[in-house]
Amino acid sequence: MSFWRALLGRSKPAEPDLDALFGLPTAALTLRAGVGLTPTGSGSVAFRAAEGAAFADVERDVTDLLNADDGPPVEQTTDDYGYTWLVVRGASTSEGESGDALAETDITGLVTDLHAVNSTLEVNGYGPSLLCSLVGFTDGSGRSVGLVYLYKRGTFYPFAPAGGKRRDNALELQVESAIGDDLPMEKDRSRWFPVYGAPGL
C-alpha cells in the first residue's frame, strides 16, 4: 500500500496523538527561558457541536468533570464560524522560590484538562468534530502567542495576534524555532490558520 502511495504522490494523513499535548509543559519552560513568554493559565478546545441529545450529554459530562475541582468554572462560547469553544482556566498560584516549577505545575494541570476534553469527545465517537486546542502565552508587554494543536494533523503551530486582523509573523517564527525540539510542529505553514478572537488567548 505504501508503494502505491509513493508512486501516486499520496501520503498517509497524520494521526491525532493527544499525548503530544503533554509536551506543552516542556515547551513552556523553553519559551520562558528563550523568548520571555509565560503561560496565561488559559486554554481552550474548539469543536463543531453535533445535533442530538447524545452529544449534549457528552458535552455536559465534560463540563461537569472539569468543574468538579476548585478551579475557575469552565466557560463555553460559540465563534462566528459556528465552532464551540470550551475555555479552561488553570488555578492561580502565587510565585514562590521556584517560579519555573510553579509555571510547569500550572500548565500541566491545564494540559490535563484539555486532554480530558479531547479524549472524552474522541472516545465517544466525536473525534471528527474536534478542530483544535489552544494554550495562551504572554510576555506582559502586550505580546501574546497561542500554541495551537491541530487535532486532525497531530501537530502544533504558533499564532501571534498583533491587533485587528494582523499577526506577528516574526514572533511566530521565533516561537517555532524555540520549541521545534519540544513539540511536533506543523511544517505546512499554509495550515497555520489565524484564530483571531479565540478564547483563552
Side-chain angles (χ1 to χ4, degrees), residues 67-119:
N67 283 334
D69 58 20
D70 296 329
V74 175
E75 300 171 20
Q76 181 175 317
T77 63
T78 302
D79 66 19
D80 295 339
Y81 300 99
Y83 282 96
T84 299
W85 293 78
L86 285 183
V87 185
V88 182
R89 302 190 191 282
S92 60
T93 59
S94 58
E95 193 76 12
E97 293 181 358
S98 178
D100 288 342
L102 283 175
E104 183 179 7
T105 301
D106 291 344
I107 195 171
T108 298
L110 178 65
V111 167
T112 299
D113 287 344
L114 296 177
H115 187 279
V117 174
N118 281 278
S119 58

Side-chain angles (χ1 to χ4, degrees), residues 31-158:
L31 284 179
R32 182 172 187 164
V35 189
L37 293 163
T38 57
T40 63
S42 296
S44 51
V45 178
F47 55 90
R48 177 78 69 184
E51 298 292 333
F55 185 85
D57 288 343
V58 172
E59 193 174 8
R60 185 175 57 251
D61 289 346
V62 168
T63 303
D64 290 345
L65 173 67
L66 297 180
N67 283 334
D69 58 20
D70 296 329
V74 175
E75 300 171 20
Q76 181 175 317
T77 63
T78 302
D79 66 19
D80 295 339
Y81 300 99
Y83 282 96
T84 299
W85 293 78
L86 285 183
V87 185
V88 182
R89 302 190 191 282
S92 60
T93 59
S94 58
E95 193 76 12
E97 293 181 358
S98 178
D100 288 342
L102 283 175
E104 183 179 7
T105 301
D106 291 344
I107 195 171
T108 298
L110 178 65
V111 167
T112 299
D113 287 344
L114 296 177
H115 187 279
V117 174
N118 281 278
S119 58
T120 301
L121 290 172
E122 184 181 62
V123 165
N124 284 278
Y126 298 108
S129 300
L130 286 162
L131 176 65
C132 67
S133 297
L134 180 148
V135 175
F137 294 80
T138 185
D139 66 359
S141 69
R143 295 193 313 169
S144 62
V145 174
L147 287 183
V148 182
Y149 174 74
L150 292 171
Y151 175 80
K152 292 178 177 64
R153 302 277 296 175
T155 55
F156 292 84
Y157 70 90

Side-chain angles (χ1 to χ4, degrees), residues 5 9-13:
R5 279 201 302 268
R10 297 176 186 160
S11 60
K12 185 178 179 181

